[in-house]
Amino acid sequence: MSTPEPTGIVVLISGSGTNLQALIDASSDPAYGVRILAVGADRDGIAGLRRADAAGLETFVCRVPDHPTRLAWDAALAARLDAHAPAFVVSAGFMRLLGPEVLSRYVVLNTHPALLPAFPGAHAVRDALAAAAEVTGCTVHLVDAGLDTGPVLAQARVEVVPGDTEETLHARIKAVEHPLLVEVVGRAAREGITVTDGKASIP
Ligand code: GRF
């Protein structure tokens, strides 16, 4: 039986790109069913872009300060995505709220380092520690116009242990976040995503 054509995705990043790396590694197996068409970033000089270069992937940078308004940036980012025509987009540590042009054209999956709806926002790990949470984790969800409010696809729990710092806890979260993201993106690529009454699922 021949392997079906892989599903093309674009991955958006802002930082170290360890989640991107997990997707790059998984994509090297044709059975995974995903081809990363390009990696986009909102800033230059980040380790994640070097990971993309090392993997021979096309990259682009679309910076908010290079555009007169957020809406103009959103339209420019949508145009960069259009150039690759991905089946869906993965926000893997992309630290910008996506706007209406991108979200009206693309299904976007995001990975977040907390058990949403707990601890949305840019400092989820720090916020979980500050709240003395005993358990936190990570969430892969669909992006909507809100801040980490879209339908949840999958979650994984991580215990907070005495003496945890933001760094140690985030490292343990990433250890479960990477395989969770790889699993959900692969299933979404191979089987698709449905949303019914605000609940997202993969068949
Ligand atoms: C991840 O934990 C992601 O959930 C959060 O930022 C981190 C990005 O890490 N939004 P990396 O760039 O994939 O290493």
Side-chain angles (χ1 to χ4, degrees):
M1 204 171 78
S2 65
T3 311
E5 275 297 299
T7 297
I9 66 169
V10 171
V11 183
L12 298 177
I13 58 168
S14 297
S16 61
T18 61
N19 282 285
L20 166 67
Q21 188 67 55
L23 293 171
I24 290 171
D25 295 346
S27 305
S28 67
D29 178 356
Y32 184 58
V34 172
R35 175 176 298 147
I36 301 174
L37 303 170
V39 174
D42 66 329
R43 61 199 75 186
D44 298 299
I46 56 175
L49 285 174
R50 291 194 289 279
R51 291 177 190 276
D53 286 339
L57 296 172
E58 197 169 322
T59 63
F60 63 86
V61 175
C62 189
R63 290 167 15 106
V64 173
D66 293 340
H67 299 84
T69 63
R70 282 295 284 228
L71 281 178
W73 169 77
D74 172 46
L77 181 60
R80 302 306 292 262
L81 295 172
D82 290 348
H84 300 284
F88 61 89
V89 174
V90 178
S91 160
F94 189 64
M95 303 304 283
R96 298 280 181 186
L97 272 182
L98 294 166
E101 288 289 343
V102 169
L103 294 178
S104 63
R105 291 186 218 175
Y106 293 101
V107 169
V108 183
L109 275 63
N110 181 52
T111 179
H112 180 79
L115 295 173
L116 293 172
F119 309 118
H123 304 292
V125 181
R126 190 188 307 170
D127 293 346
L129 282 173
E134 293 179 0
V135 174
T136 183
C138 55
T139 302
V140 180
H141 66 101
L142 293 175
V143 176
D144 65 11
L147 178 62
D148 301 323
T149 51
V152 170
L153 285 160
Q155 294 185 305
R157 290 159 57 92
V158 173
E159 278 187 25
V160 182
V161 299
D164 255 338
T165 63
E166 190 174 350
E167 288 69 34
T168 60
L169 180 56
H170 203 166
R172 287 207 317 290
I173 291 172
K174 284 190 177 188
V176 299
E177 183 179 30
H178 297 160
L180 187 75
L181 181 66
V182 164
E183 187 215 317
V184 175
V185 168
R187 284 175 49 216
R190 295 185 304 271
E191 298 166 35
I193 302 168
T194 53
V195 182
T196 311
D197 295 335
K199 290 230 180 287
S201 60
I202 301 171

